Amino acid sequence: MSLKRLYALVFVEHGTRRVHLAGVTARPSAQWTTQQARNLTMTSGYRMGSPHFLLRDRDTKYTRSFDAVFTADDVEILLSPPRAPRVDAICEGVVGTLRRELLDRILICNEAHAQAALAEYVRHYNGHRPHQSRQQLPPDSDELPTQVTVTNLQAHRVRRQPVLDGLIDQYHHAA
């Protein structure tokens, strides 16, 4: 195991707060980011909800070829203005959540381990983690609960499902 910095490329849907993990690498380059964008658009089958625009920063790793992946699908590219840290607040919030809830709590061994841990956390984040901006719904949920009820834990069994080897727990009603 060697100590080196790893970089993850994530995309966040503003409306649903759904996170898409594109990839993890120790050496991000313009070619790598472009390939990750291609992979994302092909593998997601544009489950991303047919975005109308992509807001990105002005990093030199995002080249014309990166933009072309999205403009080919009629996605408008918007560049964040310089020195405007609040423009991408939603993505920065997701990055902060990934750090606080996952990366600050485990020791990542290599790129494959980082990819696996982040992918498992993204599944939890999209499928189970409530979001205040969505009335406590996770990104993959479209329906509000029909009735809010307080569950008597003496009368019902609750099943705990560990995520990331117990780093996070999800709770469900047991049958």
Side-chain angles (χ1 to χ4, degrees), residues 37-159:
R38 285 187 197 114
N39 295 347
L40 177 73
T41 58
M42 287 190 305
T43 59
S44 68
Y46 254 56
R47 188 183 188 286
M48 294 171 41
S50 300
H52 301 290
F53 64 89
L54 173 73
L55 175 63
R56 68 166 180 81
D57 62 20
R58 296 170 182 268
D59 193 306
T60 58
K61 290 176 207 60
Y62 305 120
T63 60
R64 287 185 201 168
S65 61
F66 177 86
D67 291 347
V69 171
F70 296 100
T71 56
D73 289 324
D74 297 324
V75 175
E76 182 181 355
I77 305 298
L78 302 175
L79 299 178
S80 62
R83 298 183 187 158
R86 292 191 180 137
V87 170
D88 60 351
I90 292 173
C91 189
E92 292 297 330
V94 168
V95 169
T97 298
L98 288 171
R99 285 183 177 158
R100 283 187 308 276
E101 294 184 9
L102 174 66
L103 299 173
D104 288 348
R105 296 173 180 258
I106 63 173
L107 182 62
I108 300 291
C109 298
N110 54 34
E111 288 177 40
H113 182 223
Q115 178 77 31
L118 284 165
E120 186 171 350
Y121 183 82
V122 165
R123 278 191 298 277
H124 162 74
Y125 185 93
N126 289 335
H128 297 282
R129 188 178 183 280
H131 294 268
Q132 190 172 18
S133 65
R134 298 201 63 219
Q135 300 174 336
Q136 303 304 328
L137 291 176
D140 285 346
S141 179
D142 293 330
E143 299 178 358
L144 287 171
T146 55
Q147 179 181 343
V148 177
T149 60
V150 176
T151 301
N152 178 359
L153 295 180
Q154 302 297 332
H156 293 86
R157 293 181 41 155
V158 175
R159 186 173 58 96

